[in-house]
Amino acid sequence: MQQSPGIQGPPPGCPAHDNVHLYGPQFGSDPDAHYAHLRGLGPSAPVDIAPGVEVELVTSYDAALYILQNPASFVRDSRRWRALNEGRVPEDSPALPMMGYRPNALFSDGAAHARLRQAVTDSLATVNEIQLVRQTQQSADYLVSRFSSDRLGQAELMAEYAQPLPLLVFSELFGCPPEIGDRVIVGISGIFDGTMGADQVLGEALGELIALKRRRPGQDLTTRLMEHSAQLTDEEVLHQLVTLLSGGTAPLSATIGTSSALILGEEWQTGLPVEDAVAQALWNYAPIANYAAHYPTHDVELGGRMLRANDPVVISFAAANTDPRLAEHREQLSAKAHLSFGAGPHACPAKDPAFVIAVTAVESLLNRLPDIEVRVPFKDLSWVPAPWSRSLVALPVRFTPRAMAPTPAQTPQPQAAAPAQHRGPAHAAQTAVPTAPRPKPGLFSRFLAWTRGE
């Protein structure tokens, strides 16, 4: 048994209580009230994170940091999950896609984790920041051009900007050709929306991408993962790509949306940099709110509560970041001391690129629509009622409609005269051959066509 240092338990005589439900409209409408109640029970408390799924939720910043930085006592391999192994987790539980084991760095420990993570971090280190900014700006230009000419000057930024932008950037980083990029976006979006068969769509698209890069390597993340000295199998490459997509796109969308809402709100102090809005969003509205299930390798006492071996301990990044015990010295902490990107050996390897993308996305929006403003006060915006993330349902805005200037690739070019048509039998035979209808281009195909001026 191991006692964690410096963590106090709940006050004596804490009354018996039913588990708090971390799901549904009541939780979604006011998660902070739920976290405040749970803090009164100690640094951690039992909650139902989904119907019939109990976990220990850590709400204390110090306790969260202790667990995240103690891989000897708290591991990530969910194959240890006692209730799941005993058949006590509903087969259709929404917790399973989030907590169930996958062969990637997120659910690995020790040497296996180190090998997979090194391949990911080394590959991400080759991403050129200037190029990343340029890719983000180009994606922003395209998305703004789609809604900015609306005659009413209105848009819904979550669906039309914050959600698709990271998908476009990641599809480019992965080196996707148009049709594969379309299916990657459909697949990962469907997984977050709960669409049946989305997992298969994503897997098949990434499998084709990996096969393509085997034949024709490129200057992209997929190729770098495949060529890394860790010698990942194709299946391992696929699972690391899925991890980057799932861990990078939805949280980034949430951060872009919340940061935009903050900086466009009446309470925001004019003149503060966009970086401050993004940092505030990460501190106060952690995009990954409750996640990172750990499994004690032995019974551990934490602030007067016994955490049993192999029972899931989930980190509330949202509650830890807003822990009142930080209030006195949070101003002295680094702007990056929040736990929204995790900490310890499993800290997000893409935190620096993610911050660059979020800041660039918000700056691009403000630069292209300088008079943009929100149509609903920040306090009245609705949030997705899910335990895993903290994301706005919608962000309605208004602005002065404008025609966007074309990119250089869209500037009309002189066209050569069309060749003369031959009317002989050979031409007739060619035109008689029926052609199969082309599939309707998806988001990534349309984006790439726009960048080429097509």
Side-chain angles (χ1 to χ4, degrees):
M1 194 183 305
Q2 184 170 340
Q3 172 70 43
S4 56
I7 300 172
Q8 301 299 317
C14 180
H17 62 280
D18 294 327
N19 283 358
V20 170
H21 291 178
L22 241 64
Y23 57 87
Q26 186 175 0
F27 168 74
S29 64
D30 194 1
D32 289 334
H34 289 67
Y35 300 143
H37 170 74
L38 290 168
R39 288 191 191 101
L41 306 177
S44 71
V47 302
D48 286 354
I49 204 159
V53 181
E54 180 179 296
V55 304
E56 187 80 8
L57 189 76
V58 178
T59 56
S60 157
Y61 182 94
D62 290 339
L65 203 58
Y66 169 74
I67 291 170
L68 292 167
Q69 295 179 336
N70 191 350
S73 296
F74 296 92
V75 297
R76 296 296 307 274
D77 190 339
S78 59
R79 289 174 295 187
R80 290 174 168 265
W81 189 358
R82 186 201 310 275
L84 180 63
N85 293 333
E86 294 176 356
R88 294 187 283 116
V89 176
E91 292 182 359
D92 60 349
S93 172
L96 283 175
M98 304 301 293
M99 295 174 60
Y101 175 78
R102 296 175 185 269
N104 58 33
L106 199 60
F107 293 92
S108 302
D109 301 289
H113 168 257
R115 170 177 168 269
L116 295 174
R117 182 179 173 86
Q118 195 64 52
V120 172
T121 53
D122 288 349
S123 299
L124 285 168
T126 64
V127 174
N128 182 283
E129 183 174 324
I130 295 175
Q131 180 64 25
L132 182 62
V133 169
R134 188 177 299 118
Q135 288 175 332
T136 305
Q137 290 173 335
Q138 196 167 49
S139 298
D141 285 345
Y142 169 67
L143 294 170
V144 171
S145 74
R146 296 177 71 191
F147 65 75
S148 62
S149 59
D150 178 87
R151 64 184 180 84
L152 298 176
Q154 297 183 0
E156 197 287 279
L157 280 189
M158 291 305 297
E160 298 182 76
Y161 189 76
Q163 291 168 358
L165 189 146
L167 296 171
L168 293 175
V169 173
F170 271 78
S171 295
E172 279 203 284
L173 288 174
F174 285 6
C176 292
E179 192 271 338
I180 290 180
D182 288 343
R183 285 188 289 138
V184 166
I185 290 176
V186 168
I188 192 65
S189 300
I191 287 174
F192 287 119
D193 293 338
T195 305
M196 186 71 69
D199 212 359
Q200 182 178 353
V201 171
L202 179 62
E204 290 177 353
L206 291 177
E208 290 182 27
L209 176 64
I210 293 167
L212 173 66
K213 298 301 177 181
R214 289 285 179 207
R215 299 191 303 271
R216 298 199 301 272
Q219 298 298 316
D220 50 66
L221 274 179
T222 307
T223 300
R224 289 162 190 150
L225 273 173
M226 296 169 65
E227 294 180 344
H228 192 269
S229 59
Q231 296 183 324
L232 273 58
T233 66
D234 286 358
E235 182 183 10
E236 288 175 328
V237 172
L238 188 150
H239 283 291
Q240 308 325 304
L241 292 177
V242 171
T243 303
L244 286 169
L245 274 174
S246 58
T249 55
L252 255 179
S253 296
T255 304
I256 292 168
T258 305
S259 303
S260 299
L262 286 171
I263 208 166
L264 295 174
E266 295 180 358
E267 298 83 3
W268 189 255
Q269 184 177 336
T270 304
L272 289 180
V274 170
E275 286 87 346
D276 286 5
V278 175
Q280 184 172 324
L282 292 170
W283 268 108
N284 297 334
Y285 307 92
I288 301 178
N290 304 288
Y291 193 57
H294 288 69
Y295 300 85
T297 57
H298 51 89
D299 292 356
V300 180
E301 186 179 348
L302 182 73
R305 283 191 59 80
M306 188 63 68
L307 308 183
R308 299 294 181 184
N310 300 326
D311 285 346
V313 179
V314 171
I315 306 297
S316 178
F317 298 108
N321 281 350
T322 55
D323 186 342
R325 295 190 180 196
L326 292 179
E328 294 182 4
H329 58 276
R330 197 169 113 171
E331 295 298 325
Q332 283 71 49
L333 290 174
S334 162
K336 297 181 180 180
H338 59 77
L339 299 181
S340 289
F341 292 128
H346 281 90
C348 175
K351 58 184 179 181
D352 291 335
F355 192 81
V356 168
I357 294 170
V359 170
T360 305
V362 178
E363 286 179 341
S364 298
L365 178 70
L366 299 176
N367 289 337
R368 283 146 186 78
L369 298 173
D371 64 350
I372 190 171
E373 57 184 17
V374 290
R375 292 162 52 201
V376 177
F378 187 88
K379 63 182 178 60
D380 295 330
L381 293 170
S382 297
W383 301 84
V384 175
W388 316 104
S389 62
R390 185 66 165 156
S391 180
L392 291 169
V393 173
L395 181 55
V397 296
R398 56 176 166 253
F399 48 85
T400 302
R402 67 198 70 220
M404 300 300 291
T407 63
Q410 292 174 295
T411 304
Q413 301 293 325
Q415 296 185 358
Q421 298 283 346
H422 296 284
R423 302 182 181 276
H427 175 69
Q430 291 173 359
T431 56
V433 177
T435 57
R438 292 183 178 180
K440 186 178 179 180
L443 175 63
F444 192 57
S445 290
R446 297 194 300 272
F447 165 66
L448 291 179
W450 178 85
T451 63
R452 297 191 296 262
E454 297 176 1

